[in-house]
């Protein structure tokens, strides 16, 4: 099962929630909240749906709704990928 | 102030203490021009935006002409974050909304912080009749071919009639009383009427008007199913209201967004005023076959009464111009009853755009305001054989110049909606 990286996540976020020239996801954004990065709950739901399809993981809506930062998102997906493997 | 027997009650027609609502900004997205001045100049030149469908193969559709906005690159105008969540109609509304606010010299964030304003003193009331059709078409196709997991979460609101109002509200932080009016092609005037109502309740600035866009394959199919579309294939003669050849309308996309302000507040910030929304009324026609008269004339009379004016003071009428013989006859009868035969110049610049649903009447109000500003009535295009029995003074083919102070805008929506707005030139009271 593929592991999702910050770079991958940044790509899916742009695809699902649109590009913003002022916001570039780097390692320094790992612990910045999605809210501060300009992504609302719908953007996260849309991104989570695409990640689930692409990485073959299953995330519950409750799990997704508790994500607040990119690091939490990556950890959740990668842990789910490990469990599914 | 001493009340006398002849003083109108506060808040009613003719009450001069009632705050007036003035238009200070105009934004336009129309098939024959993107942007207010581009559209207005094209309209005066008689340039049409009606043509064949070019986005897909419509050769087997019974109606193949549309008024579509070409050369609109949403990414040029809309922040990237908004693109995945917006249908074309909302992108057009956002562009016209931004144009209107810039035209008014109004920065909502700045105004909200000023004395007399506040967080809830700025609102949005728009009209829409068909929602986010193209977006929904795409997502519903995904639903049936790829499954529900593939459907965009943004479909939850991108389809919705209120979405233009919502996105304008979010984008410009207009947090006061807001809403959407859905009354088919009368909705644009109803939105302006409701917007004016919010001003009377204390709102200082309200973005209003309307926008529609539903010319994708599914949208056009739905319009065709109404049975009211022209099947003509010549763009010059497909939509001919008040003409002996009238046989339905061409559907178009677009509309206008207006900045409506409390006149006192507008004056205080030194805003340029196009004109006043001096009167508004809406009526509902009785069911067909009831034997009772349709409601358009009553809407016009009520709007005039609301403005404190009489038919004699109307200098031009922007007609609904449905483009079917029966509906045109009904409107011509109302106009004769109000003004007498050939009693007032009548025009329908929408012959250059097609009918724009929730966006059509606000575009006519924009046209009325610019007509008052420039002292020129924009022409109705293509009417070569006016129905003699209508006895209308149609302004045909070329603009008619002259001083104008008052315009009446009429609109009807399928299902019995009628609305009228009286527009008065700035300083004409």
């Amino acid at each position: 099962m593929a592991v999702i990286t910050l770079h991958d996540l940044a790509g899916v976020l742009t695809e699902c929630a649109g590009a913003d020239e002022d916001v570039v996801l780097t390692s320094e954004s790992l612990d910045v909240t999605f809210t501060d990065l300009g992504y609302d709950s719908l953007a996260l739901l849309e991104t989570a749906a695409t990640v689930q399809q692409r990485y073959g993981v299953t995330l519950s809506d409750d799990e997704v709704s508790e994500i607040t930062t990119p690091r939490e998102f990556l950890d959740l997906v990668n842990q789910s990928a490990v469990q599914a493997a | 102030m001493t009340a006398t027997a002849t003083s109108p009650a506060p808040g009613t027609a003719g009450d001069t203490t009632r705050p007036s609502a003035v238009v200070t900004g105009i934004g336009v997205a129309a098939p024959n021009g993107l942007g207010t001045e581009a559209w207005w100049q094209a309209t005066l030149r008689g340039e049409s935006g009606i043509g064949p469908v070019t986005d897909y193969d419509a050769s087997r559709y019974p109606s193949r002409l549309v008024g579509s906005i070409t050369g609109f690159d949403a990414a040029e105008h809309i922040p990237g974050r908004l693109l995945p969540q917006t249908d074309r109609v909302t992108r057009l509304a956002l562009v016209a909304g931004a144009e209107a606010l810039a035209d008014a010299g109004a920065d909502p964030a700045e105004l909200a912080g000023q004395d007399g304003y506040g967080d809830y003193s700025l609102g949005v009331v728009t009209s829409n009749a068909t929602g986010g059709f193209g977006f929904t078409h795409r997502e519903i196709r995904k639903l049936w071919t790829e499954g529900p997991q593939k459907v965009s979460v943004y479909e939850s609101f991108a389809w919705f009639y209120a979405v233009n109002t919502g996105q304008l509200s979010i984008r410009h932080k207009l947090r006061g009383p807001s809403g959407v009016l859905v009354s088919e092609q009368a909705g644009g005037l109803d939105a302006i009427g409701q917007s004016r109502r919010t001003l009377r309740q204390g709102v200082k600035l309200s973005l209003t008007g309307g926008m529609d866009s539903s010319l994708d394959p599914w949208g056009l199919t739905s319009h065709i199913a109404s049975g009211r579309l022209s099947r003509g294939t010549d763009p010059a003669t497909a939509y001919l209201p008040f003409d002996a050849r009238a046989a339905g309308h061409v559907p178009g996309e677009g509309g206008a967004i207006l900045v409506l302000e409390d006149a006192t507040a507008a004056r205080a910030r030194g805003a340029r005023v196009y004109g006043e929304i001096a009167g508004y009324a809406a009526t509902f026609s009785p069911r067909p076959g009831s034997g009772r008269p349709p409601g358009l004339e009553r809407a016009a009379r009520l709007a005039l009464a609301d403005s404190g004016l009489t038919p004699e003071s109307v200098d031009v009428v922007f007609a609904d111009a449905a483009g079917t013989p029966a509906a045109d006859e009904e409107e011509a009868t109302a106009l004769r009853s109000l003004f007498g035969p050939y009693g007032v110049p009548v025009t329908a610049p929408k012959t250059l755009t097609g009918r724009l649903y929730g966006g059509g009447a606000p575009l006519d109000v924009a046209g009325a305001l610019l007509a008052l500003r420039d002292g020129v009535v924009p022409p109705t295009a293509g009417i070569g054989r006016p129905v003699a029995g209508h006895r209308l003074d149609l302004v045909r083919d070329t603009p008619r110049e002259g001083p104008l102070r008052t315009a009446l805008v009429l609109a009807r929506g399928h299902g019995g909606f009628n609305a009228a707005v009286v527009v008065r030139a700035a300083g004409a009271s």
Side-chain angles (χ1 to χ4, degrees):
Chain A
M1 198 58 63
V3 165
I4 185 169
T5 65
L6 181 64
H7 179 74
D8 300 332
L9 177 60
V12 181
L13 274 167
T14 300
E15 191 183 320
C16 294
D20 181 342
E21 285 174 2
D22 297 334
V23 180
V24 180
L25 245 59
T26 65
S27 56
E28 288 175 13
S29 343
L30 272 170
D31 296 307
V32 179
T33 64
F34 281 111
T35 308
D36 285 343
L37 293 167
Y39 295 105
D40 61 16
S41 58
L42 283 178
L44 279 190
L45 273 179
E46 183 78 347
T47 301
T50 300
V51 165
Q52 290 182 72
Q53 290 157 30
R54 209 162 286 170
Y55 292 85
V57 295
T58 305
L59 310 174
S60 72
D61 285 353
D62 284 346
E63 287 173 316
V64 173
S65 68
E66 283 169 16
I67 295 171
T68 58
T69 64
R71 187 189 301 280
E72 290 173 19
F73 197 121
L74 295 174
D75 287 349
L76 180 66
V77 174
N78 289 328
Q79 280 162 22
S80 300
V82 169
Q83 284 162 12
Chain B
M1 194 178 132
T2 308
T4 69
T6 54
S7 291
T12 62
D15 169 18
T16 52
T17 65
R18 192 173 56 174
S20 67
V22 294
V23 177
T24 56
I26 302 175
V28 165
N32 56 344
L34 185 62
T36 303
E37 286 305 324
W39 162 74
W40 180 237
Q41 295 308 323
T43 297
L44 292 177
R45 288 193 299 267
E47 279 174 26
S48 175
I50 293 173
V53 172
T54 54
D55 291 347
Y56 51 92
D57 178 10
S59 58
R60 293 169 65 204
Y61 283 59
S63 299
R64 302 192 283 277
L65 293 178
V66 292
S68 63
I69 295 167
T70 53
F72 173 62
D73 180 2
E76 263 182 38
H77 304 276
I78 308 286
R81 288 283 179 89
L82 283 175
L83 292 175
Q85 56 177 278
T86 46
D87 180 79
R88 179 175 173 85
V89 68
T90 303
R91 297 171 181 180
L92 291 169
L94 286 168
V95 169
E99 185 190 10
L101 284 167
D103 186 40
D107 176 350
E110 188 192 318
L111 285 176
Q114 289 183 4
D115 281 354
Y117 283 81
D119 259 3
Y120 303 109
S121 62
L122 308 145
V124 195
V125 182
T126 67
S127 163
N128 177 265
T130 62
F133 238 105
F135 195 105
T136 298
H137 183 181
R138 191 175 67 233
E139 298 308 320
I140 295 290
R141 186 199 291 138
K142 283 192 212 161
L143 174 66
W144 296 121
T145 59
E146 300 176 64
Q149 301 306 323
K150 296 280 188 170
V151 175
S152 167
V153 64
Y154 296 115
E155 175 61 19
S156 59
F157 60 76
W159 73 273
F160 187 39
Y161 307 108
V163 72
N164 299 338
T165 286
Q167 292 283 21
L168 283 166
S169 165
I170 293 166
R171 181 132 181 73
H172 298 291
K173 298 189 170 58
L174 306 166
R175 301 174 63 203
S178 296
V180 62
L181 275 291
V182 184
S183 42
E184 222 257 334
Q185 312 224 22
L189 298 188
D190 293 330
I192 292 168
Q194 173 65 12
S195 176
R196 191 181 65 151
R197 212 173 273 135
T198 68
L199 297 186
R200 290 180 180 166
Q201 292 159 358
V203 168
K204 300 295 181 204
L205 179 152
S206 178
L207 216 49
T208 186
M211 197 66 67
D212 255 309
S213 173
S214 44
L215 302 178
D216 66 289
W218 183 33
L220 182 55
T221 301
S222 305
H223 289 306
I224 289 169
S226 76
R228 294 185 298 278
L229 293 201
S230 164
R231 297 192 171 202
T233 53
D234 177 358
T237 58
Y239 171 39
L240 294 174
F242 306 115
D243 189 286
R245 298 162 292 172
H249 68 266
V250 170
E253 64 177 349
I257 301 292
L258 311 173
V259 175
L260 198 64
E261 288 188 74
D262 171 83
T264 308
R267 204 177 304 121
R269 70 173 190 89
R272 177 265 336 267
V273 171
Y274 284 102
E276 182 193 355
I277 303 300
Y280 159 76
T283 63
F284 207 70
S285 289
R287 64 175 170 78
S290 71
R292 286 175 288 142
L296 184 64
E297 181 186 334
R298 199 157 43 90
R301 287 196 188 280
L302 289 169
L304 282 165
D306 180 47
S307 70
L309 299 170
T310 58
E312 290 71 38
S313 42
V314 174
D315 299 310
V316 59
V317 174
F318 284 69
D320 174 59
T324 64
D328 289 348
E329 177 63 39
E330 180 189 307
E331 185 167 29
T333 300
L335 291 172
R336 279 198 311 278
S337 175
L338 280 157
F339 301 102
Y342 309 102
V344 67
V346 175
T347 191
K350 64 186 67 167
T351 43
L352 298 169
T353 62
R355 287 175 69 79
L356 306 184
Y357 304 92
L363 190 63
D364 276 343
V365 170
L369 290 161
L370 296 172
L372 301 183
R373 181 192 72 178
D374 294 348
V376 60
V377 178
T380 310
I383 312 303
R385 294 166 56 192
V387 175
H390 287 172
R391 289 180 284 164
L392 296 179
D393 176 14
L394 271 178
V395 177
R396 291 192 282 151
D397 298 326
T398 52
R400 187 185 296 179
E401 294 183 11
L404 305 168
R405 295 164 73 83
T406 305
L408 174 68
V409 180
L410 300 178
R412 285 174 293 183
H414 182 65
F417 300 102
N418 308 285
V421 155
V422 177
V423 180
R424 193 90 165 123
S429 53

